[in-house]
Amino acid sequence: MPALDQFFSPCPRGLEALLVAELEQLGAQATQELPGGVQWRGSLEACYQANLWSRVASRVLMRVGVASYRDETDLYKAALAIDWPALFTVERTIRVDVTAVRSPLESVDFAVLRIKDAVCDHFRQVCGERPSVDTRNPDVRISAFIDEREAVFYLDTSGEPLFKRGYRRARRDAPLKENLAAGLILLSGWNPAEEPFFDPMCGSGTLAMEAALIATRTAPGARRSFGFEALTGHDPQLWRRLRDRAAAGTSPHAPQLIVASDRDPACLEDLRASLATFGLEDAVRCTTGDVLTAQAPASHGVWLTNPPYGVRMGADEGLGDLFKALGGVLKRGFAGWRCLFITADMKLPRQLGLHESRRTPIFNGRLECRLFEFRMVAGSLRRRQADTGAAG
Ligand SMILES: C[S@@+](CC[C@H](N)C(=O)[O-])C[C@H]1O[C@@H](n2cnc3c(N)ncnc32)[C@H](O)[C@@H]1O
């Protein structure tokens, strides 16, 4: 059995560098950025901290074995050789997941089955009993990543993915994943101590909720349980100490104004319910209104929004008009603001009639997107009107 100090944390593609910085702050060592995640080394404490505090990671996977393989029999033997009873007890229910990249195997499902058989056979040989499988709500999740010739086995110390913070109740149209939303905020360079934050098309409010968690220094994992709690090596005292320390450092108030708005009042109800699960009702001002009549809530700040988009929301009729008018709203009312949009619509700057100051590639699931930033400079509208003799 290798030392259990090697981890892999997947994340939304485009956020890998942010995740390296975040994990290093949380105690990770020897970090290595890979497409879609970060490989790192660390102590049990670093594993707990990453689960509790990482805003960007989707999971924290602990490496428990590695082997080269050519077929399912090799996979079975490699999984059989791992000392599973040292990692969790036979009463724990299990689930096995396999991610295959350029694997020669014909069926991923069969690979899952063979690995599950190997885990159960190992237990049966050692304890005379085998663990039960529960694919919906397992105590222990076993993951295998297989490529052309190598299989790496992991225990998932997160359990439910980390973007499930425990605050989302309803599912509205096209919500952003929580860790993607947090990553966008971090990418925007928002300074929560000095800059107000505004999402004028907030939907269920994921961006505002994540902004509130960041501004109040609240651990995103503070209200949920984790896979490591079911593992034999779990240290409940250490875990309690880290949780208590996290709780002691949070505040229910954000230092600057955070405003979320949508034209659909039901969205704000969802956001209020989300805020309440973390006791953060006072951290965000929730308003209902049309973005086209939005007023800047402060003289400067960060506007970050995920506007409706044709592919995700259905027909995109009318969106061109919305964006054209929105360009005017930004130019007229948001001088002094940095305005950012996450969208898969590469034509957005042209539709807004603005030049972006920054464009960052990012994936929303499989959808390739851009985070566009527009710096709204005071006087730009007047100059433009003087140049062209036209308004807007
Ligand atoms: C893609 S969703 C935002 C999803 C959100 N980021 C989340 O994670 O839940 C776009 C939102 O824009 C809102 N919207 C569309 N047109 C609007 C308008 N003219 N004024 C205000 N909100 C609008 C919709 O009601 C919808 O909730």
Side-chain angles (χ1 to χ4, degrees):
M1 178 68 53
L4 299 177
D5 64 349
Q6 296 190 53
F7 297 90
F8 182 75
S9 293
C11 68
R13 277 168 63 199
L15 298 180
E16 296 88 346
L18 269 182
L19 180 56
V20 166
E22 199 183 42
L23 288 171
E24 286 181 352
Q25 260 210 330
L26 296 169
Q29 292 162 359
T31 48
Q32 193 188 345
E33 193 181 317
L34 298 171
V38 177
Q39 196 170 295
W40 55 282
R41 277 180 185 271
S43 60
L44 187 64
E45 178 166 338
C47 166
Y48 288 175
Q49 287 285 79
N51 274 296
L52 181 60
W53 279 103
S54 176
R55 300 187 190 278
V56 174
S58 304
R59 297 178 178 281
V60 177
L61 304 175
M62 183 170 71
R63 187 164 162 154
V64 294
V66 59
S68 51
Y69 81 100
R70 271 174 309 175
D71 54 23
E72 290 85 355
T73 307
D74 292 341
L75 272 188
Y76 174 86
K77 285 183 189 158
L80 189 71
I82 295 171
D83 188 359
W84 301 104
L87 298 168
F88 57 91
T89 59
V90 71
E91 295 79 32
R92 299 296 188 184
T93 56
I94 62 166
R95 170 190 168 118
V96 175
D97 289 285
V98 172
T99 305
V101 180
R102 294 184 301 274
S103 159
L105 300 187
E106 269 172 32
S107 161
V108 171
D109 287 345
F110 190 51
V112 168
L113 202 66
R114 292 309 285 150
I115 294 170
K116 186 267 295 170
D117 286 345
V119 176
C120 291
D121 288 349
H122 189 123
F123 268 101
R124 218 184 269 116
Q125 284 165 17
V126 174
C127 338
E129 282 178 86
R130 51 156 283 187
S132 304
V133 170
D134 181 349
T135 52
R136 296 190 69 169
N137 195 18
D139 298 323
V140 175
R141 290 164 195 256
I142 296 162
S143 297
F145 279 71
I146 58 176
D147 62 16
E148 289 113 316
R149 55 183 78 191
E150 198 175 67
V152 186
F153 298 92
Y154 295 98
L155 282 183
D156 185 344
T157 68
S158 304
E160 289 282 304
L162 295 179
F163 55 77
K164 295 198 175 173
R165 322 284 207 212
Y167 62 69
R168 198 189 288 291
R169 293 282 169 268
R171 281 195 64 82
R172 303 222 150 258
D173 280 342
L176 290 172
K177 285 234 169 76
E178 292 79 345
N179 58 338
L180 175 61
L184 295 171
I185 296 169
L186 298 176
L187 275 180
S188 78
W190 177 50
N191 179 344
E194 288 178 8
E195 292 177 301
F197 181 95
F198 183 30
D199 178 358
M201 290 182 275
C202 70
S204 54
T206 321
L207 286 162
M209 183 68 203
E210 292 295 321
L213 292 174
I214 291 171
T216 58
R217 298 182 309 277
T218 304
R223 294 284 193 280
R224 51 162 284 168
S225 58
F226 294 93
F228 58 70
E229 293 170 69
L231 300 180
T232 303
H234 178 44
D235 180 344
Q237 278 174 342
L238 171 63
W239 177 226
R240 193 166 323 111
R241 206 166 66 239
L242 298 177
R243 281 181 70 128
D244 289 350
R245 195 165 75 197
T250 70
S251 140
H253 304 287
Q256 291 285 338
L257 197 57
I258 299 174
V259 184
S261 180
D262 201 285
R263 66 177 175 190
D264 178 356
C267 289
L268 284 312
E269 288 307 310
D270 290 348
L271 174 54
R272 284 192 195 96
S274 295
L275 290 162
T277 56
F278 272 73
L280 293 177
E281 296 92 324
D282 294 338
V284 178
R285 183 195 291 171
C286 302
T287 62
T288 306
D290 194 303
V291 67
L292 296 181
T293 56
Q295 311 262 331
S299 63
H300 73 293
V302 170
W303 152 314
L304 173 56
T305 199
N306 165 219
Y309 177 63
V311 168
R312 298 294 299 265
M313 305 291 288
D316 63 356
E317 283 163 29
L319 286 182
D321 291 344
L322 171 72
F323 293 135
K324 199 167 161 210
L326 200 48
V329 170
L330 293 178
K331 286 173 214 160
R332 276 191 297 276
F334 284 83
W337 283 68
R338 276 190 300 124
C339 299
L340 296 103
F341 293 75
I342 165 80
T343 179
D345 181 354
M346 305 298 163
K347 299 189 301 294
L348 183 80
R350 200 169 354 123
Q351 288 179 303
L352 291 171
L354 293 168
H355 284 295
E356 72 270 25
S357 43
R358 197 157 56 116
R359 66 162 66 198
T360 310
I362 187 102
F363 278 78
N364 181 0
R366 292 211 187 129
L367 197 61
E368 185 175 350
C369 294
R370 295 286 179 275
L371 179 64
F372 289 110
E373 181 199 68
F374 306 95
R375 281 177 186 268
M376 304 311 298
V377 180
S380 62
L381 175 66
R382 269 200 307 281
R383 262 204 311 280
R384 209 173 122 85
Q385 282 174 337
D387 287 350
T388 61

